[in-house]
Each structure stands twice: as C-alpha cells, then as structure tokens.
Amino acid sequence: MTIPRCTPRLAHLSRSSPCFVIDDEIVARYGSHATRLAFLADSLTDLDSRLRAIGGALVVRRGRWADAVIALARSAGAGRVHLADDYSAYAKGRLSVLERSVAGHRIEVIRHPGVTVVPPGELAPAGGFFFQVFAPYFRRWQSARLRPARPAPAAIRLPAGLDPGRVPGPAELTVAGAPARDRPRGGETAGLSRLGDFGATALAGYEAGRDDLAGEGVSRLSPYLHLGCLSPRAVMAELAGRPGSEAFIRQLAWRDFFHQVLAARPEASWRDYRGRGDTWRDDGAGLRAWQRGQTGYPIVDAAMRQLAAEGFMHNRARMIVASFLTKDLYLDWRLGAAHFMRLLADGDIACNQLNWQWVAGTGTDTSAHRIFSPVRQSRRFDPGGGYLRRYLPELARVPGDAVHEPDAATRHSCGYPEPIVDHRAAIAEYRARTRAGAASTAPAGLPSRRTCPGRRSLLGVPGGGQPSAGSAVTRLRMAGQQRRGDRLAALLTPAVLAAGQSFQRRLDLRQRLPLGHHGPAETASPPRRPATVRRRALSSLLRSVVVGERQLGDAPEPGPPAVLELRPPFHHAGLRHRQAGHRVPPRHRPGPVAADTSGPGTCS
Ligand SMILES: Cc1cc2nc3c(=O)[nH]c(=O)nc-3n(C[C@H](O)[C@H](O)[C@H](O)COP(=O)(O)OP(=O)(O)OC[C@H]3O[C@@H](n4cnc5c(N)ncnc54)[C@H](O)[C@@H]3O)c2cc1C
C-alpha cells in the first residue's frame, strides 16, 4: 500500500501541519487488506499522540489525495507542502496531479526522500538508468553518499484555528475482512521498541540465525519500514558498526534494490519482468489448498497458516511457499502475490511483487530453476520441527523427524491431508515445460515473437501474454524519452490496475467455483469465457492508453512527438510506439541478465 510516510521526522519546521490524507482511491482498492489497514490505524493513532506530546497534532483528511492536500494548504495559509517522496506508479501519478494543480495557487511542493536508504534513480550503471543485478548495485550502494539521519522536531505548533480532524479506527478504513488474530501493533513507538529489542538480542547472531524458522533471529521490522513508522536510513544509522550489522544492512540494500527496479519499471508490479511464455495452469482447488495451508506439505502449510494468523511470514518460508505455488502447482505468481498483499502487514508492492518474480524465475535474473524442495527445506531450516508444530496443531504430537513428512497412517490419525501433488513428478513436469518454453528471456516490455506468437493476453493469465501499454512505456524509455515514459506510466496506472483488477476478480471468481458449478450470483449470468474477459479488460486498458497519451500531449519533451498506434486485433498486436519519421528499433533490447547467485536466499 502506498501512503505518504507518517514519521514525524519529516516535519522539521516548528510551525507546520503534519498531515495524513486517507486516500479514498487507496481505501477502495485495498479496503479488504484488513491487517495492513489495522496496522495503519495504529500507526496514525501513535503518530498523533507523539505529535500532541510536542504541542501539535496529526491533521487527518480524507478524500482525493491531491485535492485534500491543496485544500489544507490553502486553509492553513501554507506556501509550501513538504512530502515524503514515493516511487510507485500510483504515487508518482497522484504527485504529478498535485504538482500540476498547485501551479495556480502559489504553493511550492518539496519532496523529501524517506522510503529507502538510497533513493531510486540515484545510482545507475554505466550505460543504463537502473541496476538489474543486485551484486553490482550493492557494491555501488555501499559507497553511496547518504543523507544525514535527522532527529524529530522538539516542538510543533499548528496554525491557529486549524481543525486537525480525527484519526479513524480500523473499522472505518476496512471494507471487508478482519485483521489477523496475532497481527503486529503498528506505530513508531512499537517499531522503536522492536528495533531496540532486535539490536540488543538478535543482531549479533542475525547472519547465522536469519534462516532458522523456529527461532526469533529476524527483526520483524518490515511493516514499520513499509508504512514509514521507521525510516530505513535511521534504522541503518542506529545499527551500523555493531556486530552482525553487515548482514542485516545487506537486506536493507535488497529492499532498496527492488524499489529502484520498480521505480524504473512500474509495470513489473503485475507483469513478468522477463517473460518466458509461461502458460500457467488454472487450478482453483490447488490454489485454495495453498491459501488455506492444506497442501499436505507441512512446511508450506505451517507458513501459510502463520501468514493467516499473524499477517507475517518468515522470509525463508515466503520463498518456500512461493516456489511451491509457481513450480509444484505451476500457478501464476500474480495469484500468490495478490494473496500475500491481502494478508501481509508489510505488503509492499516493490518487495512483494519483485520477490515473487525472483522466485518464479520471471524476475530480474534468468534463473528459471530456483526450486525449493519443501521437505528438504523443512529438515534444513526447521530441524527440530518447532515451526511446524507451532502452526500445525494437528501435527503437534508427531514425534521427531516424522513431522517433516508424515506417513499415510500418521496423516490419517491426525486428520492431516495427503500431499496434493508429488513434488518430484511436479518438478519434472515443470522442468519439461520451461525447457520447451524457455526460448526467450527478453524483458517483457519488449515483445518477442518467439515468446508467445499470436497469443498476447492481458496479465499473462493464461497464456503468458503481455499487455501492450507497458510496452509503449518501455519503448518510450528505451527511446530515451524517460520523462514521457514515466508520465505515461503514471497516467496509465490507475486505469491499468483497474482493468487488471477487474480481470483478476473475475479470474478469482472462476477459480473459486468448481467446474460446472455456479454460485447464486453466477446462476443468472454464467462466468464469461476467458477470451471475452481478456478482450474486455484489454479494451478498457487501451482506452486508458489513448486518454493517457492525450494528456501527455500537452507537455511534449524535446524531440519528435511520440504517438501510440492502436492496431486491431488488439490481443495480437497491441500498441506500437513510433516517433514521427522513424520507427524505434524494435530489437534494441538488453540481453539476458545473468542469474544473481547472491540472491536473498539459497535454495535446494
Ligand atoms: C515471495 C516473497 C514476498 C515478499 N513480500 C514482501 C513484502 O510484501 N514486504 C516486505 O517488506 N518484504 C517482502 N519480502 C521480503 C522479506 O521476506 C521480508 O522483508 C522479511 O521477511 C521481513 O521480515 P523481517 O523484517 O524480520 O526481515 P529481516 O530479515 O529482519 O530483514 C530486515 C529488513 O530487510 C528487508 N528485507 C529482508 N529481506 C528482503 C528481501 N528478500 N527483499 C526485500 N527486502 C528485504 C526488509 O525491509 C526487512 O524488514 C518478500 C519475500 C518473498 C520471498
């Protein structure tokens, strides 16, 4: 969820109105992500009381983000709006709306970095504008000049007569669903206390202990970092130089790495970074078993139940369940990523989607065979079975090593399911599939005829297709028109996401229903065939491209104007980007990027 960062560290002016806008569009989009919204509500309450302790208050507004910010600035008589910068396409889109709208009001907008340690775009390789491989990024990251970590202001005074409004409770933000039973408490106070405990007890053993599933060797700081309760720069300043801090700080660099990839390639949040032409399986029963922790693989089920109970999952477990979904079940990574986003307190588009792609083999490197064996991983990273027994009460009494792979009699007596797939057979099938389809690892933004000839479909589900609006954005960027590419991406994104989500909702519905059965809502109108769904979603996408391009037209970048050409039939050709007079060379694309062997986790 993309929100302006709520740490008071930004409010470094003594007379100011620290404000949080509850963006109606975000609430509408993520209203069912109850755990994250409850965490947000905690965080706002905590921020408000911290601000009141120094003489101010949190000003809370609700509505359309840019309108609310301008209205507040005008009512407070402010000449400047200070913002925590954010890099998702949605955040960039609404920021550009704000910047356009303030022009007539003599209000200056000043952005402050805060989401990452090193802001996206600050480091670039020779001949490129962002890093696609972690190792060289990390080398540069280590020697980057860092902004100073600023202290919180000692006092804040609200302008006289300004009504701060009221911090909403979780129920006022949530449209559907209930927060996880054992969810983390949000807020800077809770985050600082966790940081203190982690630094004192676990940091020194972090490198050795971070993969121990049963232990408490990790920080669990991710939701505080995601919602801006803690600044990653301040966390780094607090821990750097202490024993164990190198390995921990490297993980913060992974976080920065994914943010700079997403800032450069926003469409990678829902689209294969490097398309392989996957034709993902459509298996509603398998997806449900995975979501509910009923696959018959204890390590997968324990992890999925940890997610449901706590709104958190250990990093090692995230990799194992992601591998299981995309390799053993061969289901689209987007289904898994969407489920994670619904349940995680730390759900973060950059970290979530790009880690999913990293595991699925469609991400920033080309390792298709990143396969995690559930039983081997279980024995290796939970040797005593403590993690399994904690989250799988039905196996709590299974003694010793048997808990990793209970036999049929034990399963029967405990009421634990048989495995829904045979891992070896599933992986052999997966390997055969990817051998056949691994002809191309071209970045998905650059269409390759070899990837899926004549079978372009929205979201790549099913059919591994690629929507063309992203291609248009990428082509603009590849043609050196980065600003136009960024602006087109920002303008498109809400509409693209809406099209993608309506497609996803229908797809989810289809997958929830057993074949041949239509629930009450479906009886009147049977589910549409996937081709119809795709066509409708795609035409709505294309309409948004046209609108986006019209809006771009009012501020051309130097150089020949770009035009987007719609070429029916849409699901075959999509959009072509041309410059007046000459075509952008279609084959100008970087070659495959080597697998990053130093990834966020090892597999076997
Ligand atoms: C499939 C999958 C989905 C994920 N989804 C998310 C997500 O939505 N939000 C999220 O914050 N992280 C996500 N991660 C990354 C990682 O799992 C979590 O950041 C980590 O488990 C959080 O626990 P922690 O704070 O105890 O981590 P620690 O081990 O204590 O690490 C410290 C911090 O480093 C960062 N970090 C650690 N590992 C990674 C990583 N692999 N990628 C990026 N940053 C990392 C996090 O901000 C974390 O809080 C995902 C990983 C996978 C494999």
Side-chain angles (χ1 to χ4, degrees):
M1 181 169 189
T2 312
I3 59 164
R5 272 35 202 177
C6 51
T7 171
R9 293 199 159 82
L10 259 183
H12 55 81
L13 303 171
S14 63
R15 189 174 164 278
S16 59
S17 319
C19 171
F20 186 89
V21 178
I22 295 161
D23 183 336
D24 276 343
E25 193 170 335
I26 289 192
V27 172
R29 205 183 277 181
Y30 297 115
S32 62
H33 298 196
T35 299
R36 204 148 73 258
L37 291 172
F39 191 94
L40 170 63
D42 291 349
S43 304
L44 296 179
T45 305
D46 179 64
L47 179 56
D48 184 44
S49 53
R50 289 176 80 91
L51 288 168
R52 285 178 191 273
I54 53 171
L58 181 63
V59 178
V60 179
R61 296 290 185 263
R62 184 164 187 163
R64 283 190 41 178
W65 183 80
D67 295 348
V69 173
I70 293 173
L72 173 64
R74 296 190 70 189
S75 68
R80 292 195 196 108
V81 173
H82 292 267
L83 291 172
D85 210 355
D86 206 343
Y87 307 93
S88 74
Y90 178 75
K92 285 197 271 189
R94 68 183 185 181
L95 188 60
S96 65
V97 171
L98 176 70
E99 284 175 339
R100 269 202 307 276
S101 314
V102 295
H105 298 290
R106 291 216 249 149
I107 297 171
E108 192 187 355
V109 174
I110 302 166
R111 306 185 201 180
H112 298 265
V115 174
T116 49
V117 176
V118 176
E122 202 162 292
L123 307 178
F129 61 98
F130 70 105
F131 278 94
Q132 299 191 67
V133 180
F134 178 73
Y137 174 76
F138 186 50
R139 278 195 294 277
R140 289 282 299 280
W141 188 92
Q142 285 174 299
S143 56
R145 257 190 67 189
L146 302 182
R147 64 186 182 278
R150 289 185 197 281
I156 285 194
R157 191 162 50 85
L158 286 190
L162 184 73
D163 173 16
R166 188 177 61 82
V167 175
E172 293 170 77
L173 299 173
T174 310
V175 173
R181 191 189 58 220
D182 302 325
R183 70 177 179 84
R185 296 286 131 199
E188 188 179 21
T189 307
L192 287 173
S193 143
R194 186 166 282 283
L195 176 63
D197 289 350
F198 172 72
T201 59
L203 179 65
Y206 177 76
E207 182 148 28
R210 64 184 284 259
D211 274 323
D212 174 9
L213 284 165
E216 282 301 321
V218 290
S219 70
R220 292 194 181 222
L221 288 174
S222 48
Y224 303 94
L225 292 167
H226 167 67
L227 278 184
C229 305
L230 296 179
S231 138
R233 175 69 191 93
V235 169
M236 183 170 162
E238 174 71 23
L239 301 182
R242 291 161 64 173
S245 61
E246 293 85 0
F248 180 82
I249 286 170
R250 186 183 159 86
Q251 293 313 113
L252 293 180
W254 266 107
R255 185 174 175 276
D256 280 15
F257 172 73
F258 286 135
H259 275 91
Q260 58 98 45
V261 172
L262 194 73
R265 293 278 307 275
E267 68 280 7
S269 63
W270 50 276
R271 184 173 166 207
D272 290 352
Y273 184 88
R274 289 179 178 275
R276 292 181 316 196
D278 283 295
T279 305
W280 302 101
R281 287 177 60 240
D282 180 2
D283 172 9
L287 178 63
R288 275 193 301 279
W290 178 83
Q291 288 172 334
R292 292 174 185 167
Q294 294 285 351
T295 65
Y297 282 93
I299 189 70
V300 174
D301 296 342
M304 296 306 291
R305 296 201 213 167
Q306 177 182 27
L307 175 63
E310 299 177 4
F312 180 82
M313 192 192 289
H314 191 286
N315 178 59
R316 167 65 44 188
R318 294 186 204 210
M319 293 191 282
I320 297 169
V321 302
S323 170
F324 188 82
L325 187 84
T326 55
K327 310 289 163 65
D328 292 59
L329 299 181
Y330 195 51
L331 293 180
D332 194 326
W333 63 266
R334 278 156 281 244
L335 298 173
H339 183 70
F340 267 37
M341 284 300 287
R342 265 194 298 278
L343 298 191
L344 280 171
D346 66 22
D348 175 284
I349 290 286
C351 294
N352 189 57
Q353 314 302 87
L354 293 173
N355 267 296
W356 267 96
Q357 295 224 42
W358 184 85
V359 178
T362 60
T364 47
D365 63 48
T366 55
S367 176
H369 298 295
R370 188 166 283 135
I371 290 163
F372 293 73
S373 155
V375 176
R376 277 223 300 273
Q377 291 275 317
S378 183
R379 290 204 164 97
R380 186 164 162 204
F381 297 110
D382 186 27
Y387 182 75
L388 301 184
R389 294 191 185 88
R390 190 182 310 153
Y391 295 105
L392 298 175
E394 64 269 48
L395 298 185
R397 287 167 188 280
V398 177
D401 189 63
V403 71
H404 299 288
E405 202 177 12
D407 59 27
T410 310
R411 286 171 193 268
H412 184 72
S413 65
C414 297
Y416 184 68
E418 288 292 322
I420 58 168
V421 285
D422 176 84
H423 173 67
R424 275 169 186 250
I427 293 308
E429 204 177 312
Y430 168 78
R431 288 209 158 102
R433 270 198 186 101
T434 46
R435 255 198 306 278
S440 169
T441 51
L446 301 166
S448 151
R449 290 209 182 98
R450 290 168 71 201
T451 314
C452 44
R455 293 201 60 206
R456 300 213 170 286
S457 66
L458 189 64
L459 291 177
V461 186
Q466 299 133 18
S468 311
S471 307
V473 171
T474 309
R475 279 162 183 261
L476 281 169
R477 292 190 180 133
M478 297 294 293
Q481 298 200 26
Q482 283 173 32
R483 238 183 59 214
R484 283 178 77 80
D486 283 346
R487 292 190 59 209
L488 177 59
L491 286 166
L492 285 175
T493 303
V496 168
L497 285 179
Q501 279 178 352
S502 94
F503 174 63
Q504 194 65 59
R505 266 197 302 278
R506 291 177 214 171
L507 185 83
D508 279 348
L509 186 63
R510 282 168 47 76
Q511 286 181 337
R512 274 202 299 273
L513 295 170
L515 271 181
H517 172 267
H518 305 311
E522 292 291 292
T523 322
S525 139
R528 293 192 186 99
R529 290 171 48 229
T532 319
V533 172
R534 280 202 302 277
R535 230 178 2 257
R536 289 185 179 206
L538 190 53
S539 52
S540 119
L541 172 72
L542 291 173
R543 274 197 300 279
S544 70
V545 172
V546 177
V547 173
E549 179 59 11
R550 272 197 208 120
Q551 291 185 32
L552 272 182
D554 57 22
E557 262 182 23
V563 291
L564 295 170
E565 180 198 343
L566 304 185
R567 301 216 320 178
F570 297 141
H571 59 286
H572 284 178
L575 298 166
R576 289 283 165 91
H577 166 252
R578 281 198 204 153
Q579 287 181 308
H582 68 277
R583 193 179 274 269
V584 177
R587 295 284 166 240
H588 177 58
R589 68 168 76 105
V593 173
D596 203 334
T597 47
S598 63
T602 51
C603 53
S604 65

